[in-house]
Amino acid sequence: MTDGYSIFYRTMADMTYLEVVEASKKGAVVLWGLGVIEQHGPHLPLATDVYLPYALLRRAADVLEAKGIPSVIMPPFYWGVNHVTGLFPGTFEVRPEVMAELMVDLIKSLKKDNFKNLFCISGHGDPLHNWTALNAIKRGGKEAGINAYFVCTPPFLARLKTNPAFDPADPTIVPAEHSVEPKKFVDVHAGENETSAMWSAFPDLVRSDVLGSLKSTDYGPEDLAEWRKGREHALRKTPDGYLGDPAASDKEMGRQRVLDDGRFLAEAIAGRLNH
Ligand SMILES: [Zn+2]
């Protein structure tokens, strides 16, 4: 292990207030990753859902800059709803209403800094977490007088659509493409996808020595529905804490996906800004 990685690096947390003023005057858009701290199998750190959106936003910020769109990255949000894995060791959870109030206050903090546009992405699959985030972004943006958006790739849109109150014309949602192809079996939690991306962006945090021993869960949509009932159901379905195929992960594939998906995010953001 090294001394670790700072999730504040290149975010507003490492800027001075004068640099924030300067960025705001330039019309910088604010980028915000929403994750949680939850168990991610025997091979990935608890903060995987915080690290991955952070890595994607750093890449998106570079692509936006090349398009002439200045941005700042807000420090990651990492206390959220963990209905599914809430019974596993290492998982932290807050009630949806606590998450929503905290998010709204943080969004309102941007108002005095004169930021006009906020783009959020989620790194965490729990449907209730994402539904809570969507509504907090909507309310925070309204109360702060800021254009606040939730940039969603197809898997995140699918999760929001499971809520009966979902509005397909919701202007808060900005759809984005992503590079991950559907697989034969479901790979949603600490599987090939997240492991590849973590391995490429934060290699010292992946316990690569155990990867080879982790058998694919080989689960389909019905198993996923059962797992999503959460808590004791998730413990029973995935006693090892992952749903997918971590042993199939590949560092180079993860690197390429972070590059591609960060670019897709930037393109979706630029599209909403009409660039
Ligand atoms: Zn995850």
Side-chain angles (χ1 to χ4, degrees), residues 37-201:
I37 311 286
E38 66 163 343
Q39 76 76 19
H40 266 78
H43 58 301
L44 293 181
L46 303 175
T48 291
D49 292 355
V50 181
Y51 279 111
L52 291 180
Y54 165 68
L56 289 171
L57 289 181
R58 279 174 50 175
R59 163 68 172 157
D62 290 342
V63 177
L64 286 170
E65 193 185 345
K67 290 175 182 289
I69 302 171
S71 65
V72 292
I73 301 175
M74 201 161 149
F77 183 87
Y78 56 84
W79 301 125
V81 178
N82 273 311
H83 169 70
V84 176
T85 68
L87 289 185
F88 279 89
T91 292
F92 288 87
E93 57 181 326
V94 297
R95 286 159 287 152
E97 59 270 32
V98 173
M99 173 183 165
E101 292 299 328
L102 181 55
M103 280 185 65
V104 167
D105 281 358
L106 294 170
I107 294 171
K108 283 161 80 175
S109 303
L110 297 171
K111 183 180 168 62
K112 67 175 184 333
D113 305 337
N114 285 315
F115 288 111
K116 303 281 187 288
N117 294 288
L118 167 68
F119 291 90
C120 307
I121 65 166
S122 174
H124 175 46
D126 192 305
L128 184 57
H129 179 88
N130 289 287
W131 186 253
T132 305
L134 172 67
N135 287 291
I137 292 165
K138 210 188 288 279
R139 182 153 75 85
K142 201 170 167 194
E143 291 184 20
I146 288 174
N147 301 316
Y149 303 103
F150 196 10
V151 187
C152 295
T153 56
F156 282 98
L157 265 182
R159 280 159 178 132
L160 292 175
K161 282 179 185 165
T162 61
N163 194 295
F166 176 77
D167 170 11
D170 189 336
T172 308
I173 296 172
V174 177
E177 287 180 63
H178 77 149
S179 62
V180 180
E181 303 287 333
K183 299 179 180 71
K184 186 174 169 209
F185 296 112
V186 176
D187 188 280
V188 290
H189 184 72
E192 181 273 307
N193 183 25
E194 285 189 314
T195 307
S196 297
M198 280 300 289
W199 208 357
S200 75

